[in-house]
Amino acid sequence: MRNIQKYVTAFLVLVLLYSCSASKEARDMKHKIDGTWMLETITTEGIEGKVKATVFNEASFNCFVGSSWNFVSNNGTGIYNINSSGSECSAVQRLIKWSIYEPKDAAKQFQFKRLDDKRNPMDNGDGFRLDISGLTDNSMQLKSHITFEGKPAVYVYNFVKK
């Protein structure tokens, strides 16, 4: 009788762990994201003209173009590097913690938090969520919905795998 209780308990623990884990689709996405990427372009939807804005509470919109991002899927950590360019962009290397967020009845999202040098969350623990609008072995497109001059708009981040 005790053996049966142990097996039932073990089975229930496994079911609980499985139900709390990420879906197969999210795990596949994490494995595709794993590696080094370059943020090739950032475009906008719903905004006309040049954009002068700070993104990810870090740097100007234009400073992120050409930035390098390294994602480690087995522990959900990473780093992005912004190169110094003129007076507008200072060199930055930022640690991040990332994952795939799975909202009910909506598209999967890439989420990340910026970390300081001691690996503590920045931005009051708030992070960033971007819709995953495209993901292949060699390209990734993320979209950030924002409000610009009182109207809905989108930043579109286009990455290529290095």
Side-chain angles (χ1 to χ4, degrees):
M1 184 69 168
R2 283 192 168 188
N3 283 341
I4 293 174
Q5 286 177 333
K6 287 180 184 177
Y7 289 121
V8 169
T9 301
F11 176 75
L12 292 175
V13 168
L14 287 173
V15 167
L16 179 64
L17 289 173
Y18 182 76
S19 66
C20 294
S21 68
S23 70
K24 181 181 181 330
E25 183 182 5
R27 288 190 306 273
D28 289 346
M29 288 176 148
K30 279 188 84 166
H31 289 296
K32 277 187 181 177
I33 293 172
D34 187 76
T36 302
W37 297 78
M38 182 186 71
L39 182 49
E40 188 173 51
T41 62
I42 304 174
T43 59
T44 61
E45 296 173 358
I47 301 173
E48 297 199 23
K50 283 193 158 201
V51 175
K52 195 162 181 115
T54 299
V55 294
F56 307 133
N57 296 335
E58 187 77 66
S60 167
F61 185 89
N62 295 323
C63 295
F64 274 93
V65 174
S67 60
S68 175
W69 296 64
N70 187 324
F71 303 108
V72 181
S73 65
N74 68 351
N75 65 7
T77 61
I79 295 174
Y80 64 75
N81 292 291
I82 298 173
N83 296 322
S84 176
S85 97
S87 62
E88 184 182 16
C89 305
S90 298
V92 174
Q93 182 176 61
R94 178 71 60 210
L95 299 170
I96 62 171
K97 185 77 175 161
W98 67 279
S99 62
I100 303 297
Y101 177 66
E102 300 184 87
K104 288 191 187 288
D105 302 323
K108 306 268 187 288
Q109 295 177 317
F110 175 85
Q111 65 181 6
F112 75 96
K113 289 184 180 183
R114 298 181 325 134
L115 305 175
D116 64 19
D117 293 337
K118 295 179 182 174
R119 299 187 179 266
N120 295 317
M122 299 172 67
D123 308 308
N124 296 320
D126 293 336
F128 305 92
R129 283 192 182 146
L130 299 98
D131 293 342
I132 301 171
S133 58
L135 179 61
T136 69
D137 290 338
N138 300 312
S139 67
M140 174 169 57
Q141 186 177 77
L142 304 176
K143 291 186 175 185
S144 177
H145 297 271
I146 61 159
T147 301
F148 185 78
E149 296 179 349
K151 297 176 185 170
V154 178
Y155 291 154
V156 181
Y157 301 89
N158 297 295
F159 291 83
V160 292
K161 198 149 199 183
K162 288 178 142 181

